[in-house]
Amino acid sequence: MTLSVDVAANLRAVKDTLPEGVRLVAVSKFHPAEYVMAAYDAGQRVFGESHEQELSKKYEALPKDIEWHFIGHLQTNKVKYIAPYISMIDAVDSMKLLKEINKQAAKHDRRIDVLLELHIAEEATKYGFTPDACREMLEAGEWRELENVRIRGLMMMASNTDDEAQIKSEFDEAAALFDEIKSKYFAGDDMFNERSWGMSGDYKIACKCRSTMVRVGTAIFGERTY
Ligand SMILES: *Cc1c(COP(=O)(O)O)cnc(C)c1O
């Protein structure tokens, strides 16, 4: 199958712009498995998907050394399907979801890495903890009892705008909150070290705002058709 997009060249172009220490999640949602394989053959191993059924199909069909990230809003009743194999759940936006991940991870004798999703952007539709809700959740402390999840850091999406100053200020706010949370709750925990921000339109800004993990789809695989 000849793809209409030069995935390998795009992947290289994105990777060439990432500073050392910033990892790439290649967001393959809505693109067929052939696109994933083109990136895989070019050396990429970390991929992001946002729908459980699509992910499950790709997981079955594709090489087992792929690290799958679930990057979208995850319904609690879908956790059980991905719990056996998911590498990271990037967008935990409620205590209820965190508990369900813990429960399903325990069934598979796993500890699942997660990120807490922040809601900082202006869009009303986006999921995630507001900074205050995130502080309250951590302060309440119940998360400490969840032995089968490991909170690895924070994730967020900036507002969908051309205003670079605004995007930068949102990333900076997330980075400051990361420092606050790290010092208060994870000071001795080297594994709380991920700041996942930056997508195709803003990952270069995100890299200047201390991102450790960008999630890039369109710039690698082309436009999605929904
Ligand atoms: C789709 C998606 C991305 C990738 O977006 P692009 O603009 O295609 O790079 C990143 N993060 C999340 C949470 C997404 O849903």
Side-chain angles (χ1 to χ4, degrees), residues 27 29 50 71-72 155 157 199-201 215-219 224:
V27 177
K29 64 187 186 193
S50 60
I71 63 168
M155 173 271 197
M157 277 185 277
M199 314 182 6
S200 291
R215 304 174 312 271
V216 177
T218 310
R224 291 177 286 273

Side-chain angles (χ1 to χ4, degrees), residues 40-159:
Y40 181 93
D41 288 339
Q44 181 67 21
R45 291 293 180 271
V46 185
F47 292 88
E49 290 282 336
S50 60
H51 292 273
E52 179 276 316
Q53 286 192 350
E54 183 181 357
L55 170 56
S56 292
K57 273 191 202 142
K58 284 177 179 161
Y59 171 73
E60 289 299 326
L62 290 164
K64 293 296 176 280
D65 63 340
I66 289 178
E67 294 173 34
W68 293 105
H69 285 223
F70 198 92
I71 63 168
H73 174 65
L74 179 58
Q75 291 170 278
T76 48
N77 63 353
K78 299 288 173 67
V79 175
K80 58 179 174 287
Y81 301 117
I82 64 172
Y85 65 85
I86 199 76
S87 279
M88 186 178 275
I89 297 176
D90 292 21
V92 171
D93 54 9
S94 71
M95 191 63 201
K96 185 177 164 220
L97 177 59
L98 192 65
K99 283 186 188 167
E100 179 64 15
I101 296 168
N102 185 66
K103 183 176 147 192
Q104 297 299 334
K107 283 188 187 165
H108 298 281
D109 211 9
R110 299 188 65 205
R111 190 167 189 199
I112 296 181
D113 283 353
V114 305
L115 304 176
L116 302 179
E117 180 179 9
L118 295 176
H119 179 134
I120 287 176
E122 285 184 340
E123 281 96 352
T125 55
K126 293 214 167 120
Y127 293 101
F129 292 101
T130 63
D132 277 344
C134 190
R135 289 182 182 103
E136 277 167 34
M137 193 277 272
L138 291 167
E139 188 59 34
E142 198 182 355
W143 59 275
R144 294 182 194 277
E145 288 151 33
L146 307 178
E147 291 180 349
N148 293 83
V149 292
R150 182 162 57 190
I151 300 176
R152 294 289 314 275
L154 304 179
M155 173 271 197
M156 59 86 79
M157 277 185 277
S159 293

